[in-house]
Amino acid sequence: MLLYNTLTHERELFVPNEPGKVKMYTCGPTVYHYAHIGNLRTYIMEDVLDRYLRYSGYSVRRVMNITDVGHLTSDGDTGEDKMVKGARREHKTVMEIAKFFTDAFFADCEKLRIRRPDVVVPATTYVDEFIRVIEALVEKGFAYEAGGNVYFDTSKLRQYYVFHGFSEEDLAEGVREGVGVDENKRNKADFVLWFTKSKFEDQELKWDSPWGTGYPGWHIECSCIAMKNLGERLDIHCGGIDNAFPHHTNEIAQSEAYLGHKWCNWWVHVLHLNTPAGKMSKSSGEFLTLSLLESKGYSPMEYRFFCLQSHYRKNLVFTYENLDNAAASYRKLVGRVAAVMREGGGGEVDEQEQKELAKGFRDALDNDLNTSLALTALYGALKSGANAATKLAAVADFDRVLALGLIENAEKLNEEQQKRSAAAAGAAEGTAGFSDDPEIRAIEELILKRTEAKKRRDYAEADRIRAGLLERGIALTDTPGGTVWSKV
Ligand SMILES: [Zn+2]
């Protein structure tokens, strides 16, 4: 599989450290608010990567943190703790807030069919571990105490700006600029590992440490949780592109300083979901959550489909019009799968043919996780000359990765249709049930749909159905006893 690596700015052939095994770390949510759909895009695309690695036969161990302390309102070292701020807003304790929004996050994930990582660690349960690693960093000379806080000394690294390839001169210039620099820092890029001094006195969560009572910085949590659960060498670290700097840059700095060798081989970043006005955020414009989309009638699977239609390394623009298009395509896709099911008696699965259908699907995902081409391969399978059983087997197989609930929702659709047919047959006394002839049955179903549309006064839909049938040479006549049809 070719997988883009932010470290090298290239698509590279993915090879894990240990054959057949993948150690994968994901930055989890900061649980002071609901996740917005831009955050969820990142988790959906990471989920596709996780699922595809498993599909390809790797045994994957995936770890994620929950940031329930120490993430300041700025990604630098200033501002208020987001958790404390959230708690104040909601008149709750920090831990109540953390629990509520952690549950809300996983509820969203479940609706979106995002696999729960194998290990999930709230940062507040690992404080001893953070202290242990910070102590080691101080001992090794990579960290220093100043003004009550412990800082990481970026000047001790050969290269700090790993993702950007900045030079030492850039870094030095940055220091000389000296604008808004924390006076305790030796270098502008240095960052806090442990706070005991915060201008916000009401920090609720504090722990004893060798440097005084305080709380950890945000970056140290991911390094420690990853190293503790996945060992010294990580295959893939993923997150949103906004985490590349400073968060991931700092994670690499402190992990490699601590370990004394390279830590993680692949850095996978999902690009932004933007609104037409720019970057999506919690603070500006409509706060787009999954629940909001649901309240507007969109299903979580329609949103997942919307995300899968574009490549994870491209910015995606969210508009309701774009989502409408994706939702319509998704419903059509489910309808097509349902139609294949109704063909029924499609014979046995032709395994050779199924393998061939899967090849296009794998090629797409092997090419830096091209989900949009993978969907094309799915349509290709449905259009192919394979029998119904083989098509359905291919859909079920691809959906292990796409996780769009295709089989389940197609079954539901067919059940609903059957129920409606039965109800209609019962209601329309004197008219027989549906014909066994599939062609006649299709006409009868459309007539029923039109009758229902008329009942709810959707005359546009009713007319559309009538016109569609006429195009196929079927004329409808409404009579007091119901609608009858004839060939023209
Ligand atoms: Zn992280």
Side-chain angles (χ1 to χ4, degrees):
M1 176 190 197
L2 287 175
L3 189 59
Y4 186 85
N5 188 351
T6 316
L7 267 185
T8 57
H9 302 284
E10 270 176 46
R11 291 182 314 162
E12 297 174 303
L13 187 67
F14 176 69
V15 184
N17 283 303
E18 243 182 285
K21 288 185 179 168
V22 178
K23 294 177 176 177
M24 182 169 170
Y25 185 83
T26 303
C27 289
T30 303
V31 285
Y32 68 106
H33 216 312
Y34 292 105
H36 64 58
I37 57 170
N39 306 132
L40 293 172
R41 178 198 186 197
T42 300
Y43 293 107
I44 288 171
M45 300 317 282
E46 291 167 346
D47 180 61
V48 174
L49 175 59
D50 178 351
R51 284 172 179 272
Y52 186 59
L53 290 167
R54 289 172 206 262
Y55 178 94
S56 304
Y58 290 109
S59 138
V60 179
R61 181 168 162 86
R62 186 165 171 215
V63 177
M64 185 170 92
N65 65 307
I66 300 285
T67 299
D68 52 1
V69 68
H71 189 166
L72 307 180
T73 44
S74 136
D75 275 345
D77 295 324
T78 56
E80 212 172 344
D81 188 313
K82 284 183 178 175
M83 294 298 306
V84 176
K85 205 175 163 197
R88 192 173 315 125
R89 185 187 67 232
E90 311 269 340
H91 306 290
K92 287 185 179 145
T93 68
V94 169
M95 290 328 282
E96 280 169 349
I97 285 287
K99 165 130 192 26
F100 179 83
F101 288 111
T102 301
D103 291 347
F105 171 73
F106 283 114
D108 281 352
C109 287
E110 213 177 305
K111 285 180 187 167
L112 290 164
R113 295 180 188 244
I114 296 169
R115 274 188 91 258
R116 192 184 171 99
D118 306 288
V119 181
V120 175
V121 180
T124 47
T125 63
Y126 260 52
V127 175
D128 290 348
E129 185 64 16
F130 306 154
I131 292 172
R132 194 182 66 74
V133 172
I134 296 168
E135 275 186 301
L137 288 171
V138 173
E139 216 164 276
K140 286 170 192 263
F142 283 103
Y144 58 92
E145 226 183 316
N149 295 335
V150 182
Y151 295 86
F152 186 92
D153 187 347
T154 52
S155 71
K156 295 282 160 67
L157 300 172
R158 205 161 41 85
Q159 193 193 9
Y160 169 65
Y161 292 105
V162 283
F163 293 124
H164 307 274
F166 287 163
S167 64
E168 288 293 323
E169 290 78 46
D170 292 331
L171 183 57
E173 264 172 39
V175 176
R176 274 201 301 277
E177 278 169 24
V179 184
V181 171
D182 177 345
E183 283 174 7
N184 295 315
K185 289 185 185 182
R186 290 183 192 163
N187 313 286
K188 190 188 174 189
D190 290 357
F191 54 92
V192 180
L193 297 166
W194 187 267
F195 290 92
T196 65
K197 290 278 179 290
S198 161
K199 49 181 173 167
F200 301 100
E201 288 306 314
D202 51 355
Q203 175 74 19
E204 239 178 87
L205 298 172
K206 286 181 183 174
W207 293 264
D208 286 335
S209 83
W211 317 282
T213 306
Y215 58 100
W218 170 36
H219 317 298
I220 192 71
E221 78 178 64
C222 287
S223 288
C224 291
I225 291 169
M227 290 191 286
K228 182 85 179 166
N229 289 284
L230 294 167
E232 292 193 2
R233 290 177 200 274
L234 204 54
D235 294 304
I236 300 174
H237 192 310
C238 40
I241 189 68
D242 47 333
N243 281 341
F245 184 83
H247 183 52
H248 291 161
T249 305
N250 291 350
E251 278 189 43
I252 293 172
Q254 62 207 1
S255 299
E256 298 192 349
Y258 173 77
L259 294 168
H261 59 71
K262 189 170 180 185
W263 175 45
C264 176
N265 285 339
W266 262 266
W267 286 84
V268 175
H269 291 112
V270 180
L271 270 285
H272 286 132
L273 179 69
N274 293 328
T275 64
K279 198 187 160 206
M280 188 169 292
S281 76
K282 290 186 167 75
S283 47
S284 66
E286 188 180 29
F287 183 44
L288 291 159
T289 60
L290 190 63
S291 310
L292 179 76
L293 295 189
E294 284 182 291
S295 74
K296 288 178 189 269
Y298 300 99
S299 75
M301 287 299 96
E302 287 163 2
Y303 180 64
R304 185 169 173 117
F305 186 83
F306 168 75
C307 291
L308 297 195
Q309 279 183 317
S310 67
H311 195 258
Y312 76 93
R313 271 195 308 115
K314 284 196 180 125
N315 285 325
L316 177 59
V317 176
F318 177 85
T319 63
Y320 282 106
E321 198 189 344
N322 291 347
L323 184 60
D324 281 338
N325 289 334
S329 302
Y330 176 76
R331 288 197 292 266
K332 223 166 147 185
L333 176 59
V334 171
R336 283 171 78 166
V337 177
V340 174
M341 279 178 180
R342 286 199 303 275
E343 278 176 32
E348 287 189 11
V349 176
D350 181 335
E351 283 183 19
Q352 191 50 40
E353 197 156 14
Q354 197 201 327
K355 253 187 206 159
E356 271 161 37
L357 293 175
K359 196 182 168 299
F361 179 74
R362 300 179 74 107
D363 284 350
L365 295 172
D366 279 339
N367 184 8
D368 194 25
L369 214 66
N370 194 325
T371 47
S372 141
L373 278 181
L375 288 175
T376 306
L378 173 67
Y379 286 113
L382 285 168
K383 262 191 245 161
S384 74
N387 64 21
T390 308
K391 283 181 186 174
L392 290 178
V395 170
D397 181 48
F398 299 177
D399 215 29
R400 282 163 54 204
V401 180
L402 303 173
L404 289 165
L406 294 174
I407 297 288
E408 200 181 306
N409 283 335
E411 275 170 355
K412 245 188 233 163
L413 189 69
N414 280 338
E415 270 168 35
E416 279 163 19
Q417 248 168 31
Q418 253 168 16
K419 262 187 224 156
R420 275 208 303 271
S421 305
E429 272 183 7
T431 60
F434 283 111
S435 165
D436 286 337
D437 182 314
E439 246 176 78
I440 295 177
R441 187 190 164 101
I443 295 168
E444 287 171 341
E445 278 179 359
L446 280 170
I447 292 174
L448 175 65
K449 261 194 176 169
R450 177 169 169 269
T451 308
E452 283 172 353
K454 278 168 71 182
K455 257 189 222 159
R456 58 172 196 270
R457 295 171 189 277
D458 186 353
Y459 298 112
E461 170 75 358
D463 287 347
R464 200 185 56 74
I465 293 170
R466 177 201 281 269
L469 280 168
L470 196 59
E471 253 173 52
R472 290 161 54 180
I474 307 293
L476 302 185
T477 313
D478 292 320
T479 73
T483 304
V484 293
W485 64 272
S486 57
K487 289 197 174 172
V488 289

